[in-house]
């Protein structure tokens, strides 16, 4: 057995999770009854979810519980929803039922169109040492953006609510100062908690549990765009794990002469990683509904070594997006994900200069073209020896049976394309399986 492979096999059996287990009993909500659809002059977008956990060690994020995304559309009467019965993140984190919905609507008699996002969480309990805890019940985050006939600007609103909040402190902990404000504020529910946080610089420590921070809430009400964004709370536990609670986001834009755009890029998507994580993304950048007005948007440059176990080491990960729409109805957009170097299995498999790129364009007469030009892999090294990537193969096995590599994975429709530069799977079907997508990009232009 190769020394590097043997090292990883042993590591897979002994490495513990990053303080969280990304899991949950997923129950998709029954498809809601759709209202009659109506094509508007506006583009709608939205997203809502209950919780997300970010590892303090690696910066990897768990899946968003009950995530309900609303891709850009010009249609009113569209509803998207999702629901989970419960989520068991770790012994420290218990999350009850979560429900999320996004709805676009038209009220013809009132002369108004809009989009609403709602996230509801039955309960969240975070536990620390010596009995310290934060418990929240009946949480709701709501966002709403609308436009009235003849109005010069969009309207937008964000609000939070709860039925109960309790803060339990460890024995012999003085309840005074900011902590006292938090305990007192909890008696008034989430409004009291947020008020206490605002009065104390946006963060209050609970000894033995961690630091509670206010999330964010803002609205944009302009002639060309309306946005409502709400993030209820962020709690950083003592081990560095961050728990994000209660998210909803709604957006409307006008002037989409080419139609709604969409997609995005992710440098690294982890499906399974040697018992350390089961989901996670590194470096992402979306392509907005209206495009980027001809400017390139880039994510921060990122690197990671989840669990410090050398199962996956990533350097120079970045995602970018570009989109422009013309008054003629012509448009062009692309998304791109790049990685300078990705080493899997303690360096057993190394890929260099990986780029995944998705391109989409539309002519003034409505013809759409998509392609994956620019998708490349600069190098492949196996056990220290550089190997050529077969030109005529989309999938090939690494000699010795330790890994399978798939390259240039492309899914396309008439108006969209999704590209993955490489997908690497080590120890397939075993407890130590590693499955990672490198350089994933998607771009699209919808009719409505």
């Amino acid at each position: 057995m190769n020394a590097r492979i043997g090292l990883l096999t042993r590591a897979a059996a002994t490495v513990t999770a990053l303080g969280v287990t990304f899991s949950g009993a997923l129950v998709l909500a029954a498809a809601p009854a759709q209202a009659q659809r109506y094509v508007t002059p506006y583009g709608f977008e939205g997203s809502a979810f209950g919780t997300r956990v970010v590892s303090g060690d690696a910066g990897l994020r768990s899946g968003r519980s009950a995530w309900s995304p609303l891709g850009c559309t010009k249609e009113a009467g569209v509803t998207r929803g999702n629901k989970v019965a419960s989520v068991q993140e770790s012994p420290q984190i218990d999350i009850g039922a979560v429900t999320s919905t996004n709805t676009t609507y038209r009220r013809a008699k009132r002369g108004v169109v809009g989009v609403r996002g709602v996230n509801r969480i039955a309960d969240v309990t975070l536990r620390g040492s010596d009995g310290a805890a934060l418990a929240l019940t009946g949480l709701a985050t709501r966002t709403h953006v609308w436009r009235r006939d003849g109005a010069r600007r969009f309207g937008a609103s964000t609000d939070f609510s709860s039925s109960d909040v309790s803060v339990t402190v460890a024995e012999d902990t003085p309840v005074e100062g900011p902590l006292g404000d938090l305990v007192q504020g909890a008696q008034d529910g989430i409004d009291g908690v947020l008020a206490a946080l605002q009065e104390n610089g946006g963060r209050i420590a609970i000894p033995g549990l961690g630091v509670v921070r206010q999330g964010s809430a803002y609205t944009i009400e302009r002639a060309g765009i309306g946005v409502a964004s709400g993030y209820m709370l962020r709690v950083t536990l003592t081990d560095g794990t961050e728990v994000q609670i209660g998210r909803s986001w709604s957006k409307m834009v006008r002037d989409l002469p080419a139609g709604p755009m969409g997609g995005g890029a992710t440098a690294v998507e982890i499906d399974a990683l040697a018992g350390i994580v089961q989901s996670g993304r590194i470096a992402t950048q979306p392509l907005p509904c209206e495009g980027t007005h001809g400017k390139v948007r880039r994510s921060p440059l990122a690197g990671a070594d989840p669990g410090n176990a050398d199962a996956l080491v990533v350097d120079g990960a970045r995602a970018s997006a570009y989109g422009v729409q013309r008054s003629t109805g012509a448009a062009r957009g692309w998304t791109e994900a790049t990685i300078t170097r990705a080493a899997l299995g303690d360096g057993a498999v190394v890929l260099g200069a990986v780029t995944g790129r998705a391109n989409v364009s539309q002519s003034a007469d409505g013809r759409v073209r998509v392609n994956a030009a620019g998708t490349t892999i600069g190098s492949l090294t196996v056990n220290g020896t550089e190997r050529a990537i077969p030109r005529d193969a989309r999938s090939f096995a690494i000699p010795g049976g330790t890994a399978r590599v798939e390259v240039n994975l492309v899914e396309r429709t008439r108006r969209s394309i999704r590209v993955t530069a490489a997908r690497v799977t080590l120890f397939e079907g075993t407890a130590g399986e590693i499955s990672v997508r490198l350089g994933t990009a998607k771009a699209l232009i919808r009719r409505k």
Side-chain angles (χ1 to χ4, degrees):
M1 178 182 291
N2 179 276
R4 291 180 176 176
I5 300 298
L7 176 61
L8 179 62
T9 303
R10 292 191 296 273
T14 58
V15 172
T16 58
L18 301 174
V20 295
T21 301
F22 301 144
S23 63
L26 175 63
V27 180
L28 293 177
Q34 296 287 334
Q36 183 176 357
R37 296 195 178 188
Y38 175 84
V39 179
T40 74
Y42 307 107
F44 307 94
E45 287 184 279
S47 177
F49 61 85
T51 57
R52 180 161 56 180
V53 176
V54 181
S55 161
D57 291 334
L60 289 175
R61 299 178 177 184
S62 74
R64 291 165 280 198
S65 64
W67 181 37
S68 172
L70 174 67
C72 187
T73 178
K74 296 178 72 174
E75 290 189 309
V78 176
T79 297
R80 299 286 183 264
N82 200 358
K83 179 180 181 178
V84 293
S86 63
V87 181
Q88 179 66 48
E89 295 284 4
S90 77
Q92 287 182 284
I93 307 168
D94 281 331
I95 301 166
V98 184
T99 303
S100 303
T101 58
N102 293 277
T103 304
T104 67
Y105 69 89
R106 174 186 179 232
R107 303 288 184 264
K109 292 182 179 180
R110 299 181 182 180
V112 61
V113 295
V115 57
R116 288 190 175 93
V118 180
N119 169 255
R120 300 181 186 276
I121 309 174
D123 53 84
V124 177
T125 302
L126 307 179
R127 302 181 182 86
S129 60
D130 300 323
L134 173 65
L136 308 101
T137 304
L139 302 178
T141 302
R142 304 176 184 86
T143 53
H144 184 199
V145 180
W146 66 91
R147 185 73 174 249
R148 297 187 182 278
D149 291 346
R152 297 179 61 185
R153 297 174 179 269
F154 289 95
S157 66
T158 297
D159 70 84
F160 307 105
S161 64
S162 72
S163 59
D164 185 64
V165 179
S166 67
V167 178
T168 305
V169 301
E171 189 175 354
D172 298 327
T173 299
V175 182
E176 57 190 17
L179 180 59
D181 294 340
L182 182 64
V183 172
Q184 181 67 33
Q187 298 179 21
D188 296 323
I190 195 63
D191 289 341
V193 168
L194 294 174
L197 289 167
Q198 188 171 6
E199 292 171 4
N200 289 277
R203 52 184 291 153
I204 297 175
I206 302 177
L209 178 68
V211 177
V212 182
R213 292 182 290 143
Q214 65 185 91
S216 62
Y218 68 86
T219 58
I220 298 173
E221 299 175 299
R222 298 177 185 166
I225 185 172
V227 177
S229 178
Y231 228 137
M232 188 177 292
L233 290 175
R234 300 172 187 260
V235 182
T236 303
L237 304 178
T238 53
D239 65 357
T241 299
E242 181 180 274
V243 185
Q244 303 171 358
I245 302 171
R247 173 63 166 159
S248 184
W249 174 82
S250 301
K251 174 184 174 182
M252 285 181 65
V253 294
R254 57 178 297 180
D255 299 329
L256 300 175
M261 303 183 79
T266 301
V268 182
E269 294 186 31
I270 302 170
D271 298 321
L273 184 57
I276 303 172
V277 295
Q278 283 74 48
S279 65
R281 296 184 177 186
I282 299 170
T284 63
Q285 180 64 52
L287 175 59
C289 185
E290 68 277 22
T292 63
H293 303 287
K295 297 181 179 179
V296 178
R297 296 187 182 180
R298 295 185 175 92
S299 71
L301 201 63
D305 179 5
N308 298 314
D310 292 332
L312 169 66
V313 180
V314 176
D315 296 311
R318 171 168 279 168
S320 307
Y322 170 93
V324 62
Q325 299 199 27
R326 307 297 184 189
S327 60
T328 61
R332 185 169 70 91
W334 54 261
T335 62
E336 183 180 87
T338 58
I339 305 105
T340 302
R341 181 179 183 272
L344 294 93
D346 193 32
V349 177
V350 180
L351 291 95
V354 177
T355 299
R357 183 173 171 120
N359 306 288
V360 62
S361 64
Q362 178 173 284
S363 61
D365 61 5
R367 289 179 295 175
V368 175
R369 294 180 175 87
V370 298
N371 64 67
T375 298
T376 61
I377 300 173
S379 63
L380 170 65
T381 302
V382 180
N383 293 329
T385 301
E386 187 166 350
R387 295 183 178 273
I389 299 173
R391 293 184 178 182
D392 58 350
R394 286 287 184 264
S395 177
F396 55 94
I398 298 297
T402 58
R404 181 165 54 88
V405 180
E406 300 165 271
V407 298
N408 297 329
L409 303 177
V410 178
E411 304 169 43
R412 67 179 79 210
T413 69
R414 291 177 60 187
R415 308 185 70 87
S416 70
I417 184 168
R418 185 177 189 268
V419 179
T420 297
R423 180 167 60 198
V424 183
T425 305
L426 280 72
F427 311 114
E428 192 169 18
T430 72
E433 179 174 301
I434 298 173
S435 181
V436 178
R437 291 176 180 263
L438 303 173
T440 297
K442 181 178 180 179
L444 61 90
I445 299 177
R446 291 188 174 93
R447 289 186 182 275
K448 56 187 180 180

